[in-house]
């Protein structure tokens, strides 16, 4: 394998995919079931076929590229990541895991022919939760844990219902195979670190041991709209003031709890959102993460109690809606050892590490032997147009993936 070629192909494919949903300010916005998402999946389908893979969709909108075993009873080794992005995100988050899978499968098919076990790369339809209050839609459909009862009520910030958006994109109508998979033998996700540890330690590969648990809530405060000039401070039911009090108190509680707990308010919506009206609605999101499930749960309870106390204090109504609760999960020990051996054999500096970011691997890990492999993020920046990983590091990640997929798909019996 020509490393320089692999480096160039990886870099070119990152730029190629980033064109779908390219923002004028240089980032990428590819939200589930939007036109840029549809164009990206269609382009990915053409690219997979041009690279020699058989392709198919499932009814959630996950796109698969496949090299089939000659054994009709064979199980499937799955690699891949998510094609959706955050708003104005980077070019590598999710995208690199799909691109690496394409490059790996093409190399394996051209070099070794049909594998003993099917090998597939998946362009997962959604992971970020950036358009709708729902995350991991692609991987939870594959594992049969998708919140299908929840989707009937949810809408995006423009009021478009989830089911309408899904159907308009051609999915959820029974036109494609059911997303539930029982044939997966293992799932391997290659992803950028989205942190600065690998670069600071001049280490090329991160082998993830555990992914933190994560809860996401929306807190809706309701007060009373009124005149900004004629309403005395003590008479107000100011929803934004109450929400602000909640947010500051939650952040102070997170500081008291200390690392590795993290709490983030990333989004706030105010109504009527005009300068001379006391807000009667203020809704904000809360993202909480911790590697221990009991600490995650305890902090979440503390945060909710803060909200109800502040609402009472301000004479507000408050509604708390938790729409994500994903538990901390360990990666498969046998796969982890295989990756260590591969890094040693390839002379790649590596380290074992946790993941503070959520990944589809944590959904898959509850159902199949799963591994998550990181390559460095320059200055640890992610969810930002400045997200960057060098072509050397991209190619190193692909080389590890190729070897691991070869071992799982062509050589030893996989973990069944
Ligand atoms: O939020 C996360 O951890 C991931 O990027 N979806
Ligand atoms: Mn990601
Ligand atoms: Mn992300």
């Amino acid at each position: 394998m020509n490393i320089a070629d692999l480096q160039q192909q990886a870099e070119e494919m990152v730029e190629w995919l980033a064109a779908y949903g390219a923002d004028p300010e240089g980032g990428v916005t590819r939200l589930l079931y939007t036109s840029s998402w549809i164009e990206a999946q269609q382009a990915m389908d053409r690219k997979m076929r041009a690279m020699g893979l058989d392709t198919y969709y499932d009814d959630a909108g996950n796109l698969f590229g496949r090299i089939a075993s000659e054994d009709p009873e064979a199980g499937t080794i799955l690699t891949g990541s998510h094609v959706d992005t955050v708003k104005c995100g980077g070019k590598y988050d999710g995208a690199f895991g799909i691109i690496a899978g394409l490059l790996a499968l093409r190399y394996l098919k051209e070099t070794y022919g049909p594998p003993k076990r099917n090998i597939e790369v998946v362009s997962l339809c959604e992971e970020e939760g950036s358009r709708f209050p729902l995350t991991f839609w692609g991987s939870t459909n594959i594992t049969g844990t998708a919140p299908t009862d929840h989707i009937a009520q949810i809408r995006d910030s423009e009021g478009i219902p989830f089911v309408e958006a899904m159907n308009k994109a051609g999915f959820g109508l029974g036109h494609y195979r059911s997303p539930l998979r029982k044939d997966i033998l293992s799932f391997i996700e290659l992803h950028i670190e989205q942190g600065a540890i690998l670069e600071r330690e001049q280490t090329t590969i991160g082998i993830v041991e555990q992914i933190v648990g994560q809860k996401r809530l929306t807190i809706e405060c309701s007060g009373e709209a009124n005149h900004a000039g004629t309403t005395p401070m003590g008479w107000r039911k100011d929803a934004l003031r109450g929400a602000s009090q909640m947010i500051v108190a939650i952040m102070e509680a997170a500081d008291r709890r200390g690392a590795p707990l993290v709490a983030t308010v990333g989004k706030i919506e105010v109504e009527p959102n005009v300068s001379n009206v006391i807000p009667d609605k203020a809704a904000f999101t809360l993202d909480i993460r911790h590697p221990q499930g009991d600490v995650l749960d305890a902090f979440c309870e503390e945060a909710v109690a803060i909200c109800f106390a502040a609402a009472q204090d301000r004479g507000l109504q408050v509604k708390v809606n938790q729409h994500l609760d994903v538990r901390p999960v360990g990666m498969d020990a046998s796969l982890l050892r295989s990756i260590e051996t591969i890094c040693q054999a390839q002379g790649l500096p590596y380290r074992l590490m946790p993941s503070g970011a959520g990944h589809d691997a944590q959904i898959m890990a509850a159902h199949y032997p799963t591994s998550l492999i990181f390559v460095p993020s320059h200055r640890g920046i992610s969810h930002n147009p400045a997200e960057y990983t060098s072509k050397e590091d991209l190619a190193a990640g692909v080389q590890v993936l190729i070897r691991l997929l070869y071992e799982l798909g062509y050589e030893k019996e996989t973990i069944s």
Side-chain angles (χ1 to χ4, degrees):
M1 175 190 327
N2 180 313
I3 299 301
D5 285 352
L6 187 61
Q7 290 171 356
Q8 190 187 344
Q9 287 157 16
E11 194 169 55
E12 281 170 0
M13 285 181 74
V14 164
E15 294 305 324
W16 159 77
L17 186 54
Y20 296 92
D23 295 316
E25 334 53 282
V28 182
T29 302
R30 241 185 348 252
L31 305 184
L32 179 63
Y33 301 140
T34 58
S35 53
S36 59
W37 178 94
I38 292 168
E39 286 154 21
Q41 287 290 64
Q42 289 171 344
M44 185 65 79
D45 188 358
R46 293 192 298 272
K47 180 73 83 174
M48 285 178 170
R49 279 184 277 116
M51 292 173 77
L53 306 184
D54 302 324
T55 65
Y56 66 93
Y57 283 98
D58 70 16
D59 208 36
N62 294 313
L63 171 67
F64 298 82
R66 174 184 170 89
I67 38 177
S69 157
E70 288 165 335
D71 170 2
E73 299 304 309
T76 300
I77 309 295
L78 183 64
T79 188
S81 193
H82 57 94
V83 75
D84 71 313
T85 68
V86 295
K87 283 185 185 158
C88 212
K91 298 174 183 172
Y92 300 81
D93 178 3
F96 172 55
I98 308 165
I99 289 163
L102 259 70
L103 289 166
L105 267 68
R106 177 177 63 178
Y107 177 81
L108 290 167
K109 182 179 178 184
E110 289 174 355
T111 312
Y112 304 107
K116 280 186 188 160
R117 287 162 286 276
N118 306 308
I119 307 178
E120 295 187 10
V121 52
V122 59
S123 176
L124 289 162
C125 61
E126 191 281 342
E127 183 268 352
E128 294 287 4
S130 297
R131 180 179 180 189
F132 297 98
L134 144 141
T135 52
F136 300 118
W137 180 242
S139 45
T140 53
N141 264 281
I142 288 172
T143 57
T145 55
T148 41
D149 48 345
H150 171 58
I151 59 172
Q153 294 93 30
I154 59 176
R155 296 169 179 272
D156 67 9
S157 45
E158 286 160 25
I160 298 172
F162 179 90
V163 175
E164 181 186 308
M166 177 168 61
N167 294 165
K168 241 175 107 187
F171 300 102
L173 298 165
H175 296 165
Y176 300 95
R177 59 169 285 170
S178 159
L180 180 61
R181 298 291 293 266
K182 299 277 187 197
D183 61 322
I184 307 294
L185 296 172
S186 39
F187 177 69
I188 320 292
E189 185 169 9
L190 190 53
H191 203 285
I192 54 170
E193 178 197 346
Q194 300 178 297
I197 294 170
L198 292 176
E199 183 178 64
R200 286 208 189 136
E201 294 182 359
Q202 295 177 330
T203 302
T204 308
I205 299 291
I207 309 174
V208 174
E209 296 176 286
Q210 192 228 26
I211 306 175
V212 296
Q214 187 183 148
K215 286 192 173 204
R216 291 193 195 174
L217 304 90
T218 303
I219 293 99
E220 292 173 13
C221 302
S222 307
E224 185 181 67
N226 213 324
H227 196 292
T230 57
T231 316
M233 295 306 279
W235 294 9
R236 295 178 178 210
K237 293 184 181 198
D238 182 337
L240 182 52
R241 181 166 184 186
S244 311
Q245 187 175 319
M246 293 171 193
I247 293 168
V248 169
I250 290 168
M251 292 300 138
E252 288 169 349
D255 291 344
R256 285 195 299 273
R257 185 83 58 162
L261 181 118
V262 286
T264 310
V265 173
K267 181 177 171 182
I268 186 160
E269 289 174 324
V270 179
E271 289 175 18
N273 208 26
V274 291
S275 64
N276 61 346
V277 176
I278 301 165
D280 65 338
K281 288 267 183 310
F284 62 93
T285 59
L286 179 59
D287 174 316
I288 310 170
R289 309 198 189 187
H290 196 280
Q292 288 164 259
D294 56 342
V295 176
L296 179 67
D297 295 342
F299 184 79
C300 189
E301 278 169 32
E302 183 181 354
V304 170
I306 285 170
C307 294
F308 280 98
Q312 193 165 16
D313 182 36
R314 292 278 154 214
L316 304 175
Q317 297 299 311
V318 66
K319 228 167 76 186
V320 177
N321 172 22
Q322 178 176 296
H323 55 85
L324 179 71
D325 178 359
V326 62
R327 311 315 286 166
V329 66
M331 297 292 100
D332 182 84
S334 169
L335 286 173
L336 192 148
R337 278 194 304 278
S338 297
I339 300 163
E340 272 199 286
T341 308
I342 290 168
C343 290
Q344 288 158 3
Q346 294 185 359
L348 292 171
Y350 71 91
R351 61 160 286 165
L352 304 187
M353 62 194 293
S355 171
H359 295 284
D360 291 298
Q362 73 193 103
I363 301 299
M364 303 291 204
H367 302 269
Y368 328 112
T370 295
S371 67
L372 176 60
I373 306 166
F374 282 162
V375 292
S377 292
H378 182 50
R379 294 174 46 228
I381 292 177
S382 182
H383 284 185
N384 178 317
E387 193 177 87
Y388 174 74
T389 297
S390 73
K391 61 177 187 279
E392 292 79 10
D393 288 339
L394 295 178
V398 175
Q399 282 182 278
V400 172
L401 181 65
I402 286 173
R403 180 64 200 170
L404 182 60
L405 292 177
Y406 173 77
E407 292 180 7
L408 294 172
Y410 290 83
E411 269 189 357
K412 59 188 175 189
E413 286 315 308
T414 46
I415 310 114
S416 52

